[in-house]
Amino acid sequence: MNFNISAVVDKWYFISLILVGAYLIENVILLRIITGSLIYICHSLLWFSIAAIMLWIMSRSLSTKWSLKKPFIVVTILISFLQIFLLVTSGVLTSFGKNPYVFTPNFLLTNLIYFVSTLFGAELSRACLIDRLKDKGDFTMLSLTSLILTLVLSPLTKISDLVLLSSTNFTEFLKTLCSDSLPLFAENLLASYLVGLQGPIPSIIYRGIVGAFYWLSPILPNPTWPVESLFGVLAPILGFLIIDTVTSQGKLPKGEISQKWLHLAIVLLI
């Protein structure tokens, strides 16, 4: 029996296995044997390696577009700052807290490398998943990609806490799910939609701007869980609506994804 490596590499589950493997290596092995700043270095090397693998996969047969069309980039930047504005608003309505990250030059550079490696590794992986799943239908393509990235970008301790709470304290389970996991899933859903429309560059810009706010702002919103859940989901919903509006008006080129799915996504998030 001949084993066709090329056929395996071109499958969506190959990309998923890479992500899950890297996730387990970091959370199950590395975090148990290393400490201190070395954790940040290993994480960055791991995610830069994933980015390099995804670039290699893209160079083979990726059909997803790499778009730099100015109108779409402008809309993406607008959505990013709208999400930051809503985050700040949630803090105004509740409270703010000090950013836990250290802002000395050395730590700032380390954190920036950590953030950039995760950003490019995740978004290039997202582009490969979207490309491999596009023949499965819009719903499967976007929802499965978003779910995989949500799981991979969530610390294992948070996932294990969710599983534990689901059987011991259902109220706390719902609070954690709504305040942490649901906003992250909504953000990933919007990022996946951007990739499906115009390739990975808009999603890198979107998640890069929003993520930079969390990493570089000295103070951060500290809302109660209902407010955090509401505003965390509201921002991506508004992003979907903005894209839908400007696309319908002909100000943006229409992508291959059906707008019927966009409307369904909005309803599901609400």
Side-chain angles (χ1 to χ4, degrees):
M1 185 190 307
N2 293 326
F3 180 69
N4 192 338
I5 297 179
S6 298
V8 174
V9 170
D10 290 336
K11 300 296 183 180
W12 68 270
Y13 52 77
F14 176 77
I15 299 162
S16 302
L17 286 174
I18 292 175
L19 291 173
V20 172
Y23 181 80
L24 293 176
I25 288 173
E26 178 176 10
N27 287 273
V28 178
I29 300 176
L30 294 182
L31 290 180
R32 297 189 179 187
I33 62 176
I34 59 177
T35 57
S37 59
L38 191 58
I39 294 175
Y40 288 81
I41 296 173
C42 291
H43 173 95
S44 301
L45 290 174
L46 188 62
W47 280 93
F48 275 132
S49 299
I50 292 175
I53 293 171
M54 297 306 156
L55 284 173
W56 172 72
I57 293 175
M58 287 179 174
S59 68
R60 290 168 46 83
S61 59
L62 189 74
S63 60
T64 300
K65 300 175 182 177
W66 287 74
S67 176
L68 280 173
K69 293 179 180 178
K70 185 176 179 180
F72 203 92
I73 299 301
V74 171
V75 170
T76 302
I77 294 173
L78 172 65
I79 293 171
S80 304
F81 281 103
L82 174 62
Q83 183 161 334
I84 292 174
F85 171 77
L86 289 174
L87 289 171
V88 174
T89 302
S90 71
V92 172
L93 295 175
T94 52
S95 64
F96 287 90
K98 186 178 179 181
N99 194 321
Y101 300 121
V102 181
F103 283 88
T104 61
N106 287 339
F107 277 101
L108 194 61
L109 178 61
T110 301
N111 288 338
L112 185 61
I113 294 173
Y114 181 100
F115 164 62
V116 169
S117 67
T118 309
L119 174 67
F120 278 86
E123 297 314 307
L124 293 177
S125 300
R126 189 191 310 276
C128 289
L129 282 171
I130 289 289
D131 187 70
R132 266 55 180 182
L133 286 167
K134 63 184 179 181
D135 59 341
K136 305 293 185 182
D138 294 344
F139 180 82
T140 301
M141 175 182 71
L142 295 175
S143 58
L144 184 57
T145 299
S146 302
L147 180 61
I148 292 171
L149 268 298
T150 298
L151 292 174
V152 170
L153 294 174
S154 300
L156 184 59
T157 52
K158 185 170 292 185
I159 295 176
S160 60
D161 287 345
L162 269 176
V163 174
L164 180 63
L165 288 173
S166 66
S167 59
T168 58
N169 191 328
F170 192 67
T171 301
E172 290 299 321
F173 165 77
L174 287 179
K175 289 181 180 180
T176 305
L177 181 70
C178 291
S179 60
D180 293 335
S181 301
L182 189 58
L184 179 59
F185 177 75
E187 183 178 311
N188 274 299
L189 199 58
L190 179 56
S192 299
Y193 185 68
L194 291 171
V195 172
L197 288 176
Q198 294 290 314
I201 293 178
S203 71
I204 290 173
I205 293 173
Y206 164 62
R207 294 199 64 248
I209 293 175
V210 174
F213 170 74
Y214 282 104
W215 283 93
L216 300 178
S217 176
I219 60 171
L220 292 172
N222 186 30
T224 56
W225 78 265
V227 175
E228 185 176 8
S229 178
L230 174 64
F231 281 83
V233 174
L234 179 61
I237 288 176
L238 292 177
F240 276 114
L241 290 173
I242 290 172
I243 295 173
D244 185 34
T245 300
V246 295
T247 301
S248 299
Q249 294 176 352
K251 296 180 180 179
L252 286 180
K254 292 186 177 182
E256 298 178 356
I257 299 177
S258 170
Q259 284 189 296
K260 292 180 179 179
W261 194 94
L262 184 148
H263 300 150
L264 175 61
I266 294 173
V267 171
L268 288 174
L269 287 177
I270 291 175

